[in-house]
């Protein structure tokens, strides 16, 4: 049984990490969050110690080490995006490996710095890249690998996930903290695309606003038109009529990729790989971080060239 700590226990994604820790037969010793709406811990680890002050959380980990000879093996990080870098460093300095949500960091140069910390501490950093373990995504990757070398697939990516006014007031609405909409809701898709279709050859941004972004990405084996939004006004009519607030669609050469199911256990699958020494490390996260960094800093060109149909 491995010992875990968790940072960001009140966050939306934290319960998936708690479930993964429990499902893999391990123990959550302690957790931290500035907010105290963390009753979900009772469903998984009611005996875990919880702190709302980071200093006391840090001291508690030290006391476990020196007074009870109890050491952390992993720190799971579910904090806001801009804090990932600091919390990863804390984990490694504490003598634990880090398991961090996406994006690992906001800027490409931070990746290099974290690799240096890995070398100095001898500890590892793992990123949650859960789409890479989804059966439909794995099957698509195999299909692309078996296609002719110079094949370019035509890909249309649309992801609409409605968010209320709270979003713009929270850290997620602050580009300096979240990285902006493409980073916040799109980084896992960009990781998936680069993992399947190879190196990026072109990255054009057509529109980039607070509630939507769209552009064109060309990979070794794909031409991708993408559109992301947190506004319900872009939802297709049939989706609104069903009372749904989310729409996700990926087509490859006009054929819909079906991967709507199987999401609830992906974190557990990633944890199993990490515990078996097969998890995705810092280098695996690099390409997606470069993509979202370039999108964030690009000057939108408007409705020119290969733009997404939702912009019409």
């Amino acid at each position: 049984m491995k010992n875990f700590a968790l940072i960001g226990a009140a966050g939306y994604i934290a319960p998936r990490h708690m479930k993964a820790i429990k499902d893999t037969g391990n123990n959550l010793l302690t957790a931290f969050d500035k907010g105290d709406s963390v009753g979900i811990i009772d469903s998984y680890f009611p005996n875990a110690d919880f702190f709302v002050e980071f200093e006391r959380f840090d001291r508690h980990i030290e006391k476990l080490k020196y007074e009870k000879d109890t050491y952390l093996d992993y720190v799971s990080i579910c904090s806001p995006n801009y804090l990932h870098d600091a919390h990863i460093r804390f984990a490694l300095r504490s003598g634990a490996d880090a398991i961090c949500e996406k994006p690992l960091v906001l800027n490409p140069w931070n990746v290099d710095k974290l690799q240096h910390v890995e070398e100095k501490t001898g500890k590892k950093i793992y990123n949650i890249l859960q789409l890479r373990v989804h059966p439909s995504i794995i099957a698509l990757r195999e299909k692309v690998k078996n296609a002719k070398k110079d094949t370019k697939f035509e890909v249309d990516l649309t992801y609409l996930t409605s968010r209320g006014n709270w979003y713009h007031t929270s850290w997620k609405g602050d580009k300096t903290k979240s990285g902006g909409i493409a980073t916040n809701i799109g980084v896992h898709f960009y990781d998936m695309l680069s993992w399947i279709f190879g190196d990026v050859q072109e990255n054009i941004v057509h529109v980039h606003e607070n509630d939507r972004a769209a552009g064109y990405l060309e990979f070794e084996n794909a031409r991708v038109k993408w559109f992301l939004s947190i506004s319900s006004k872009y939802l297709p009519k049939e989706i609104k009529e069903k009372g749904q607030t989310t729409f996700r669609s990926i087509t490859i050469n006009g054929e819909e990729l079906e991967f709507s199911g199987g999401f609830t256990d992906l974190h557990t699958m990633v944890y199993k790989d990490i515990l078996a020494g097969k998890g995705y490390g810092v280098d695996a996260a690099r390409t997606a971080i470069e993509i979202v960094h370039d999108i964030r800093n690009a000057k939108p060109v408007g409705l020119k060239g290969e733009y997404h149909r939702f912009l019409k």
Side-chain angles (χ1 to χ4, degrees), residues 23 31 48 73 209 237 289 298:
D23 287 351
D73 297 294
E209 299 167 354
K237 183 180 178 182
I289 291 169

Side-chain angles (χ1 to χ4, degrees), residues 7 26 36 123 179 200 218 245:
I7 298 175
N26 295 295
D36 59 7
K123 295 299 175 180
V200 179
E218 186 158 350
T245 59

Side-chain angles (χ1 to χ4, degrees), residues 8-152:
Y12 165 78
I13 205 67
R16 294 193 188 181
H17 287 260
M18 295 178 200
K19 182 178 185 296
I21 294 167
K22 188 175 181 66
D23 287 351
T24 53
N26 295 295
N27 185 40
L28 181 66
L29 284 177
T30 182
F32 161 78
D33 202 295
K34 288 169 62 178
D36 59 7
S37 296
V38 293
I40 188 66
I41 295 176
D42 286 345
S43 300
Y44 300 101
F45 298 99
N47 294 322
D49 294 306
F50 174 68
F51 298 87
V52 294
E53 294 169 295
F54 193 82
E55 294 81 1
R56 291 186 175 184
F57 173 69
D58 181 12
R59 183 182 67 179
H60 180 67
I61 290 170
E62 291 296 300
K63 288 177 71 176
L64 287 174
K65 187 187 302 182
Y66 296 117
E67 295 180 11
K68 297 187 177 181
D69 201 31
T70 300
Y71 293 81
L72 286 178
D73 297 294
Y74 295 94
V75 176
S76 298
I77 298 163
C78 313
S79 51
N81 299 349
Y82 72 107
L83 296 175
H84 287 178
D85 191 317
H87 289 156
I88 289 169
R89 292 167 185 266
F90 166 79
L92 271 58
R93 288 198 307 270
S94 299
D97 293 335
I99 301 176
C100 187
E101 269 296 337
K102 308 167 300 296
L104 192 68
V105 287
L106 293 179
N107 301 302
W109 52 86
N110 298 133
V111 176
D112 299 324
K113 300 291 177 60
L114 287 181
Q115 285 183 316
H116 180 68
V117 179
E118 276 189 320
E119 293 169 6
K120 289 292 184 181
T121 60
K123 295 299 175 180
K124 290 284 293 178
I125 301 166
Y126 297 100
N127 201 194
I128 298 289
L129 305 175
Q130 76 269 32
L131 290 184
R132 296 191 185 197
V133 300
H134 194 293
S136 296
I137 304 304
I138 293 171
L140 175 59
R141 188 171 189 247
E142 288 302 309
K143 178 181 177 180
V144 172
K145 284 171 68 175
N146 293 328
K148 291 181 180 179
K149 189 176 181 180
D150 57 350
T151 300
K152 289 272 189 181

